[in-house]
Each structure stands twice: as C-alpha cells, then as structure tokens.
Amino acid sequence: QVQLVESGGGLVQAGGSLRLSCATSGRIFSFNAMGWYRQAPGKQRELVATIARVGARNYGDPVKGRFTISRDVAENTLNLQMNNLRPEDTAVYYCNAIDAFVTYWGPGTQVTVSS
C-alpha cells in the first residue's frame, strides 16, 4: 500500500511563499503521474498542478505563473513551490499519485493566506 504524506503548510501573509512537500513510500518515478490538488471550505477539490512520469507539467489556471511543481529524486518527494500567495489560495492541499490501477491520496496539509 502506497502512502503519501504532505508537509510544509502553514499561515502566510498575502504575497508570501510556501513550499509543500509530499513524501511517498513508493518511488516517485514508478507512478504514471503525481499531482497537487486543493479544496477550500464549501468548494470542490480542484487541480493545482500535475507532473507526468516523463515530466510534462500541467497547472490550474488560478496558479499559473505563481506555482511550480517538481520532483526531488534524491529525497523521493514531490514538491510545490508557491509564490505570490493570495487569500483565495487558502485551502487544504492534497498530494496524489496514480499508477496503472489505483489513485493514492495523502491526508492533506492546510495552507492559510491572510490578507
């Protein structure tokens, strides 16, 4: 059973930065894709960013140009660098990983951006 654990969330002022990490018990290049999603109170979970095994990246429109998804092979982590944060970025952020048959989710980490 693959486990994912997010870290790096917290409280930050608007315009600030945070870096989220997702540690996995599986090897990151063993997954077809990995990604970050977020869910704000009262809203549906939405795409933040994904990265395919071959490296292709995809970003949700609200975060384009501000967030960067990456993989750290040495640490075996999936990362999300978030710059120029806005109050509307406040949400629980989830890491996911997809292999041939199953999608795995982490428990999430809270990001709160104050105005």
Side-chain angles (χ1 to χ4, degrees):
Q1 180 71 14
V2 172
Q3 293 186 329
L4 304 172
V5 179
E6 303 92 342
S7 62
L11 174 65
V12 65
Q13 288 188 332
S17 298
L18 282 175
R19 183 178 178 83
L20 305 183
S21 290
C22 174
T24 172
S25 59
R27 294 181 60 82
I28 56 174
F29 283 100
S30 70
F31 301 115
N32 291 338
M34 297 187 74
W36 290 95
Y37 291 74
R38 68 187 183 186
Q39 187 166 18
K43 295 187 177 181
Q44 291 188 331
R45 192 171 295 190
E46 66 173 359
L47 166 73
V48 176
T50 61
I51 184 167
R53 180 186 293 161
V54 296
R57 293 166 171 83
N58 182 48
Y59 294 93
D61 287 342
V63 308
K64 285 180 179 177
R66 301 188 296 124
F67 291 11
T68 303
I69 189 171
S70 63
R71 292 172 295 194
D72 187 321
V73 176
E75 297 293 327
N76 201 48
T77 58
L78 177 73
N79 301 309
L80 183 71
Q81 178 65 41
M82 305 186 295
N83 297 329
N84 192 21
L85 283 159
R86 305 167 180 168
E88 53 264 38
D89 295 319
T90 295
V92 178
Y93 283 70
Y94 298 91
C95 170
N96 91 337
I98 303 172
D99 69 13
F101 304 104
V102 182
T103 298
Y104 303 95
W105 291 92
T109 186
Q110 177 70 46
V111 171
T112 303
V113 184
S114 63
S115 57

